[in-house]
Every structure is written in structure tokens, then in C-alpha cells.
Amino acid sequence: MADHIFLKGTAMTTAFDPVDLAGTRLSNRIAMAPMTRSRADAVRRTPTALVAEYYAQRASAGLIISEGVHPVAEGQGYPFTPGIHSREQIAAWREVTDAVHERGGRIFAQLMHSGRIGHPDLLDGDLHPVGPSAVAPAGQAFTPEGPKDYVTPRVLTGDEVRETVAGFAAAARHAVEAGFDGVEIHGANGYLIQQFLATGSNHRTDEWGGPVENRIRFAVEVVRAVAAEIGPERTGLRISPANTLNDIAETETEELYTALLDAIEPVGIAYLHVLETAPELRPLVLDLRKRFAGTFILNPSTEGPTSSESLALIEDGTTDLVAFGRLFIANPDLPARLRADGPYNEPDGATMYGGDHRGYVDYPAL
């Protein structure tokens, strides 16, 4: 159960205090946000020994949320990204989770189905990017041959939507088998779940589209299926209300996300992770915080990378944990640096995606 917001008469909670995440004890309230780094094996889509070293270096985070992991083969949206739908992938991820646990860390796998964000060149055989409707996103996909225009997705039939829900549940089971402490369902950033939520990408007239209660159905069914498979205490959800990333056009944002929370609340999942895309969304964030009974994780809107100033959001009760992204790329020992208020290494943008150990595991600790 989350700390209740704005409690009076209690000692102030800080970012460096432990927290109980639905039965999993976290050593602090600093989360490593999920970040694609594109270092997986290109053929097998498996994490490598370098990936294990990268996450182990960052095990002092209270909670590590992994890079996006495709739950099914057609869910891959970027080159050199890992899956968790084959026995080989499960075994490779076990090397990663063992390395994190040996350092005392906790790690959840982020299950990310990219939907229409991708390209046939990234997929095996005759697989094709899928979506709720035949609406191609603006922009270009990253492919092994360079940028290419996004294609029109193949529309999922009703039966295929249900199969995709089952694919998320199977991937969650695989993640637990691979040693993850739980999974985060990626419902943000313009990928498949948000594509169902948004009217710009969801033009369906069946039970999966149209009014708000239908557009949230896919997200709700995925949450229910995953929680039933591995337990709600091992299940988290990430959302990004009003996010326009990946050509998303949302309407009725407040109604949409309050309805989504009301629908999943009875499931009792471990946490809700909100990516705040603009400062003016703070009132909605606070409302979602009050509506959600579990642990609340906030990736706050800031002018630059999330900094130590955001830790005050834990102290004033706005959130239970703060998620840091770019700072964790360049600072493997970020909690120690936040406690000391720096100094901080600067991330190298040229090595952010793909490549070798440079800009990945060679950033120095204090």
C-alpha cells in the first residue's frame, strides 16, 4: 500500500528511505526509468553479458525497470532490442537478473509491444507491424538499413486482440521464470496500448474502440491477464497521459485515464508509473495519485533531465518513488550521487542507442 498523500503528524519520508512494493522491499525510492539502449543480439534478440553488466552496475537503484522488452515477435519496434518470447531469451535474461540480485537490486521487466511503431524489415518472415486500425503514423522507423517511412499497420482482428492479451500474460510468466521481480506493462509513449487508448490511432467500431470504456478495454484486459498470471503484487503499469510521442493524438485525456484507473483499481496491482509530459498535467497526476491505492512512481516533467530537485516530490507526498532516466545512463551509482548532490557525469548522446561498451558500461562511479 502506498504512503498516503500529505499525511500530517508523521516523520518526513525521504528518497533514501526503504519502501515496501506490494511485498518486495526496495532499499530506496529512486527508480531507474525504462530506457531502450539497443545492445541486444541482432539475430536472437537476447540480452548479452554487456547488458547484464550494465544493469548490475545500477543495482543501487531502489527499483530498476528494464528497457522495453517485446512480449511477442511482432511487438519489436527497434533494431537490437530484446524479447522474452523464446527459451533462449528467457535463459539470457536470467543472467541479467542474477547479476542484479547478486548486487542486492530489484528489477522489473518492461513489456513493450510497439504496435504500429516499427517496420517489416525488423521482423522475421512475413510478420508485419500491427495496430488497432489501419492508420500509419507520421515519421520514420529505425531499421538496419537506415530510416524508412512507417508502414500502415495490419489491423488486429478481435480474436488477435485477445491473442495479444494472452501474449502479454505469457511474457509476464516468462519474465518471472527469468528471475525478474515483476513486470511493468508499457501503456505509454505511443506504443500499442496507447494506440488503443487514443482516438487518432483507434478508429474501431467494435468492443475495442469508440467510447472511452471501449478504448480502455485492451489496457484493462492486459492488466487483468498479467496480474492473473503472475500476481498483482508483481504487476505494474506505465502511462503517459496527453503524450504525443509517436504521432499519438489523444482526446478526453482526463476522462480516459480516470476511467482506466477506476477499471484496474480492483485488480490491486503493485504500482502505477506515470510519465508526466508537461507541467500543466500536474493536477491530473495528483488526481491519479489520490485514486490509486498502490505505490505511485512519477517520472516528473522537468526542463532538463530529472535532477535531485525532484526528490522533494517524495518528501511532500506527491509520489512514492521518482524515476530517473538520462542521469542513470551516465551515473551507475546515481543514488549515492543524489545523496551527495553530485557531481554527475554527462551522458554521451552519440552512444545512446546501439554500439559497444562505450557510453554503456564505462561511466565511472564516484
Side-chain angles (χ1 to χ4, degrees), residues 6 39 44 49 60 103 118 171 189 191 205 218 242 245 250 291 328 331 341 356 361:
F6 307 132
R39 255 76 171 192
R44 296 184 294 272
S60 63
R103 301 270 188 101
N189 291 7
Y191 300 115
T205 57
F218 180 63
L245 189 65
E250 259 183 16
R291 287 171 178 270
F328 254 121
N331 299 278
D341 200 16
D356 53 20
V361 297

Side-chain angles (χ1 to χ4, degrees), residues 31-70:
M32 177 177 167
M35 292 176 287
T36 293
R37 302 300 309 278
S38 296
R39 255 76 171 192
D41 181 274
V43 177
R44 296 184 294 272
R45 281 87 164 179
T46 52
T48 64
L50 207 60
V51 176
E53 181 181 355
Y54 167 75
Y55 285 114
Q57 286 178 348
R58 288 151 180 81
S60 63
L63 176 66
I64 294 172
I65 306 163
S66 83
E67 63 206 273
V69 181
H70 33 96

Side-chain angles (χ1 to χ4, degrees), residues 6-12:
F6 307 132
L7 283 180
K8 296 181 179 179
T10 58
M12 183 178 68

Side-chain angles (χ1 to χ4, degrees), residues 156-167:
L156 290 167
T157 67
D159 286 344
E160 287 173 334
V161 174
R162 293 180 182 88
E163 290 171 6
T164 304
V165 171

Side-chain angles (χ1 to χ4, degrees), residues 76-253:
Q76 181 175 3
Y78 301 97
F80 309 111
T81 53
I84 198 160
H85 45 83
S86 74
R87 301 310 307 176
E88 198 171 16
Q89 290 163 353
I90 295 168
W93 276 116
R94 171 61 77 168
E95 300 294 321
V96 177
T97 60
D98 283 351
V100 170
H101 291 149
E102 285 170 7
R103 301 270 188 101
R106 295 286 180 262
I107 182 168
F108 273 44
Q110 189 192 64
L111 303 182
M112 172 182 148
H113 192 310
S114 62
R116 66 179 188 164
I117 299 301
H119 195 276
D121 288 2
L122 298 170
L123 306 176
D124 292 335
D126 59 356
L127 292 177
H128 191 88
V130 298
S133 299
V135 182
Q140 293 187 309
F142 297 98
T143 79
E145 299 176 1
K148 292 187 178 183
D149 290 346
Y150 287 121
V151 298
T152 300
R154 183 178 64 79
V155 178
L156 290 167
T157 67
D159 286 344
E160 287 173 334
V161 174
R162 293 180 182 88
E163 290 171 6
T164 304
V165 171
F168 271 95
R173 182 175 69 250
H174 294 160
V176 171
E177 185 180 345
F180 283 99
D181 297 289
V183 305
E184 175 178 284
I185 299 162
H186 196 347
N189 291 7
Y191 300 115
L192 184 62
I193 289 177
Q194 195 177 18
Q195 290 162 27
F196 270 90
L197 294 173
T199 51
S201 47
N202 184 349
H203 297 176
R204 300 175 78 103
T205 57
D206 62 0
E207 62 183 312
W208 305 101
V212 164
E213 58 267 27
N214 285 0
R215 281 184 281 122
I216 68 171
R217 192 184 307 276
F218 180 63
V220 173
E221 291 302 319
V222 170
V223 168
R224 288 174 177 165
V226 168
E229 191 69 39
I230 63 171
E233 73 281 359
R234 288 175 165 169
T235 304
L237 172 66
R238 192 183 206 211
I239 57 174
S240 58
N243 196 349
T244 59
L245 189 65
N246 288 319
D247 199 29
I248 281 292
E250 259 183 16
T251 58
E252 307 160 296
T253 293

